[in-house]
Amino acid sequence: MYAREDVNVGKVLQRLPKSIREKVLADAFLDQCWTVFKKHDPFGREKLEGQNLWKALLEALPENFRKAILSNQYGWSLQQDSVYAFTNCGRAGEPSVSLIKFPEYVKFTLALIMHKYGANAKVLDCKMALKPQEMDHSMRKTKVVASLGPASWSEEMIQKMIEAGTDIFRLNCSHRRGGDFERVYPLIRKYAK
């Protein structure tokens, strides 16, 4: 998990495309962020958390970043990384962002995206810089371990997991019923070749 001091916001925001950088660093951006914040704070508590904070963040971000985040499957993870790092409350805390800090939080999230996923916004359009799976096992330095249980030990799921690059299967004994492992083991050997 990132810490707030891991990301040099001012320096990283300088790598944004010029049109976005000028918009984000302008004084009008503060007013825009506060307007979005108030829209998602119907009770006037001057603090947002959870889904309301996520919705406000998405609305405040520049459009191309918003679209890139919504088009990938890790959007919620990104929001959690940014809010926990920004508030320094750790995973066990109750993260919330105040009205005054919201524009700073939006800028921090932009910087975190740039820091975590690449040097420019174009990377975000490529499924958040997901690297293609290295299928030549001799080139990979890590191994993928998957646990098999009742939800994942069907023949088609085992085949998909092997094709996705699983190297080692762990059979979860807490779910074992008579004959389950005797049926699953040959399936693993069948598709491992």
Side-chain angles (χ1 to χ4, degrees):
M1 187 169 111
Y2 287 91
R4 192 171 178 178
E5 53 274 358
D6 292 341
V7 182
N8 183 338
V9 176
K11 186 175 181 180
V12 175
L13 290 181
Q14 293 302 317
R15 296 192 327 223
L16 284 168
K18 185 178 179 182
S19 60
I20 296 173
R21 182 177 62 238
E22 288 174 352
K23 180 181 175 186
V24 168
L25 298 177
D27 291 336
F29 185 72
L30 295 174
D31 294 330
Q32 175 191 343
C33 285
W34 288 329
T35 303
V36 168
F37 185 97
K38 289 175 183 174
K39 176 180 169 187
H40 292 279
D41 183 24
F43 301 112
R45 294 175 38 217
E46 295 194 354
K47 134 176 141 167
L48 289 178
E49 57 194 10
Q51 287 187 343
N52 285 339
L53 179 60
W54 178 231
K55 290 175 186 176
L57 173 66
L58 285 175
E59 192 172 329
L61 287 171
E63 184 178 2
N64 61 333
F65 282 88
R66 181 182 328 123
K67 286 180 180 178
I69 290 169
L70 290 174
S71 69
N72 88 77
Q73 57 190 340
Y74 301 108
W76 184 251
S77 170
L78 172 71
Q79 191 265 349
Q80 286 182 321
D81 286 347
S82 71
V83 74
Y84 285 114
F86 183 79
T87 59
N88 286 326
C89 72
R91 295 282 185 198
E94 293 287 332
S96 62
V97 176
S98 68
L99 173 67
I100 300 299
K101 294 282 188 180
F102 185 68
E104 187 181 338
Y105 170 61
V106 174
K107 289 178 185 179
F108 174 80
T109 303
L110 275 172
L112 181 66
I113 291 169
M114 299 289 290
H115 179 77
K116 188 173 179 180
Y117 295 110
N120 58 44
K122 292 179 184 170
V123 174
L124 293 173
D125 296 329
C126 308
K127 290 286 188 191
M128 299 299 278
L130 288 176
K131 296 178 181 172
Q133 175 72 41
E134 178 62 63
M135 293 312 290
D136 181 3
H137 294 296
S138 66
M139 301 295 289
R140 284 188 12 209
K141 294 184 175 140
T142 59
K143 300 293 180 194
V144 177
V145 180
S147 294
L148 288 178
S152 60
W153 61 31
S154 67
E155 185 170 354
E156 56 273 358
M157 184 58 76
I158 291 172
Q159 182 180 5
K160 286 180 186 177
M161 292 170 79
I162 290 173
E163 288 170 0
T166 301
D167 296 302
I168 301 167
F169 284 103
R170 176 186 162 276
L171 298 173
N172 193 342
C173 294
S174 64
H175 298 292
R176 183 177 186 190
R177 290 182 298 274
D180 282 341
F181 287 179
E182 291 76 14
R183 182 186 58 80
V184 172
Y185 182 74
L187 293 175
I188 296 170
R189 299 303 318 148
K190 175 181 173 184
Y191 292 108
K193 297 176 182 178

